Amino acid sequence: MSAPRFPDAVLDAYDWRHVRDHTELALSLPFFTITAYNTIYEHAPTSDAFSAVGDPGVEISGRSAFTSALEFSTPLGEFGVKPASVFGIACDYAKREFADSVREDGLVNVTRFADREIARTADGSEPDDPARAFGYDVEYPLRDAVIAEDVTGGQFTVQGELWAGIWPTDAAYAMAGGMFPTESVADAIERQAPAATLATDADLDVDPERDRDRVLDAVARADT
């Protein structure tokens, strides 16, 4: 099994490039496990800027996107259950576990602020099952070297926004989403250390409305 893919038209239009694929055990219970097959993309034009200012302990770029396919070790159909019939339960689980997952990836101050439905038309014609999307405020850790002064404690961060959408497939569920900054490095330092001297000119190309539209459009068009 592999993760859903964003259409080439989406990748080209939004300057996203494939970074890596990885598989992880998402849940282990006595009667079954859930394996997640993930694909990660990053925004090519700003990847160097994020590499220059981002904490090296955080593997994902501050403007990135992802897709995931979830596989049950015992298919739900063997329990007489269709994924769409228990979609509400899956959403409740996903909104909690996804927040924990991105915290493990190194993001901090993760808070869910939105829950909305997205119409999906992956092939551009007949509508698919809708996705349920969750929006989170997040903060992306920065290197201490973004300021000229020595730092003795704490962690500078750039505020951002992350969206994750989930929808039922024939056998299980799929997910897609993305993250982007909502403030510049200069604004982040002004917020956290007003007297500090900025030591970088990295441009994160901040435009939350544009990036939000791109992420939600990609969720709607991810191909399963």
Side-chain angles (χ1 to χ4, degrees), residues 6-16 214 217-218 221-222:
F6 293 128
D8 288 343
V10 168
L11 300 180
D12 292 342
Y14 301 155
D15 290 319
W16 292 349
R214 289 178 174 181
D217 176 61
R221 296 166 63 185

Side-chain angles (χ1 to χ4, degrees), residues 41 68 77 90 114 178:
Y41 304 84
S68 298

